[in-house]
Amino acid sequence: EEDSLSPFIRLQEKKKQARLMQKALEVKEEDFRERMKVITCRWRDLHAKEAQLKTYMEKSGRILKENDKMRIQALTKAIKERERKMQKKTELLRAKRELEALRNKHQKLCNKVQKYSIFNKYLEDVVKISHFEEIQEVIWRYKTLLRMHKDLLQSQQAHKEMSEQAKVLLDQYTAEKEAEILQYKNELVQLQLRFDQAQSDVLPWETSWADIQNTTAKKTLKLGTIKMAIFNLFQ
């Protein structure tokens, strides 16, 4: 009987274990479904957050690009502003130097005016005792005379240069002609020597020519005599 009950008991135990396992499985399944719901909710939240993050990143990227663009524009504007300020400073410094130079020039002119004021008084006295009516006429007359004097000096200098050039040319021409005259004198001496030599050579030739003429006359006379003799014999 115990042997017959043992399988039944084991079967019941197995069924009980199966029910416990089924119940545990159902609990786990329920727990899994709950966890899946939680995970699904989290997944949806993650998708939503991912979409929000993507939107935020895109927006941040646009903002960064705009910020970079604005920063570059601001930097460019700052550089241009700095360059403009430097240019203004340079122009201001140059203007200060020019102003200082003008002040110095003005001071020098004032000093000259103060120094030359006695000449103005002198010119006023000149106008009083001369036929001029204004100081400016005296100055114009002085400038005219000064210009004429300058032209006269230039003309004298030009004539002096022309005279010097003419003198140089005359010296060159004289030297050339003296060289030619010396050459002609040398040639004349050579010709005179040749003429004297020719005259000394002509005398023997003249003597020889006289001898030849005498011989020729004698031969001619002898030939005439022979011709007469032959003619007489022929007669």
Side-chain angles (χ1 to χ4, degrees):
E1 187 177 357
E2 289 178 359
D3 292 334
S4 61
L5 289 175
S6 294
F8 178 75
I9 293 171
R10 286 197 296 270
L11 180 61
Q12 293 298 322
E13 288 177 355
K14 294 295 184 181
K15 286 182 179 181
K16 183 178 180 180
Q17 291 177 358
R19 285 194 299 271
L20 292 173
M21 290 179 66
Q22 182 67 29
K23 188 175 182 180
L25 183 60
E26 291 176 358
V27 172
K28 287 183 179 182
E29 287 179 355
E30 184 66 23
D31 184 52
F32 178 74
R33 282 193 295 271
E34 293 294 331
R35 291 178 64 186
M36 286 300 296
K37 288 180 181 180
V38 173
I39 290 172
T40 302
C41 293
R42 288 182 179 177
W43 187 255
R44 285 197 297 268
D45 293 338
L46 286 174
H47 276 290
K49 289 181 178 179
E50 184 180 3
Q52 292 178 358
L53 182 61
K54 185 177 181 181
T55 304
Y56 175 77
M57 291 296 293
E58 292 177 354
K59 185 177 180 181
S60 298
R62 289 194 299 272
I63 292 172
L64 287 174
K65 288 181 180 179
E66 292 176 358
N67 290 335
D68 290 339
K69 186 177 180 181
M70 292 175 65
R71 183 171 58 82
I72 293 172
Q73 291 178 354
L75 183 61
T76 304
K77 184 177 180 181
I79 292 172
K80 290 182 178 179
E81 185 68 20
R82 185 167 63 253
E83 290 177 353
R84 188 177 64 82
K85 288 182 179 180
M86 291 295 295
Q87 185 177 0
K88 290 293 183 182
K89 287 182 179 179
T90 304
E91 292 177 356
L92 181 60
L93 184 60
R94 184 171 63 251
K96 286 182 178 179
R97 287 197 296 266
E98 291 178 355
L99 180 60
E100 187 65 24
L102 289 174
R103 285 177 178 174
N104 295 330
K105 188 176 180 180
H106 180 264
Q107 186 62 37
K108 290 180 180 179
L109 290 175
C110 290
N111 294 334
K112 283 186 177 181
V113 170
Q114 185 67 26
K115 182 179 179 181
Y116 296 150
S117 60
I118 56 175
F119 298 105
N120 186 56
K121 181 67 171 58
Y122 172 76
L123 289 175
E124 289 177 354
D125 296 336
V126 170
V127 170
K128 289 179 182 179
I129 62 176
S130 65
H131 63 279
F132 297 103
E133 296 180 357
E134 295 180 357
I135 295 177
Q136 189 63 39
E137 293 180 0
V138 178
I139 296 174
W140 287 341
R141 179 61 176 172
Y142 170 74
K143 288 183 178 180
T144 302
L145 294 175
L146 186 63
R147 185 168 58 253
M148 292 175 64
H149 179 66
K150 184 178 180 181
D151 294 338
L152 181 60
L153 289 177
Q154 290 179 353
S155 178
Q156 290 179 352
Q157 183 66 26
H159 283 91
K160 183 178 179 181
E161 291 177 357
M162 291 177 63
S163 299
E164 291 177 355
Q165 292 179 357
K167 184 178 180 182
V168 171
L169 293 175
L170 180 61
D171 293 339
Q172 292 179 355
Y173 181 76
T174 304
E176 291 176 358
K177 293 305 177 182
E178 288 179 354
E180 290 180 1
I181 291 171
L182 182 61
Q183 183 179 358
Y184 290 151
K185 286 182 178 180
N186 293 330
E187 291 179 358
L188 183 61
V189 170
Q190 295 293 329
L191 290 174
Q192 186 67 37
L193 292 175
R194 291 175 63 185
F195 178 74
D196 294 340
Q197 183 68 33
Q199 283 185 341
S200 61
D201 294 338
V202 163
L203 184 60
W205 285 104
E206 287 180 349
T207 304
S208 179
W209 175 251
D211 294 338
I212 291 171
Q213 285 182 340
N214 292 327
T215 303
T216 302
K218 290 179 181 180
K219 295 291 184 181
T220 303
L221 180 62
K222 187 177 181 179
L223 180 62
T225 303
I226 292 171
K227 284 183 178 181
M228 289 296 296
I230 293 171
F231 180 75
N232 291 326
L233 290 174
F234 181 75
Q235 289 294 331

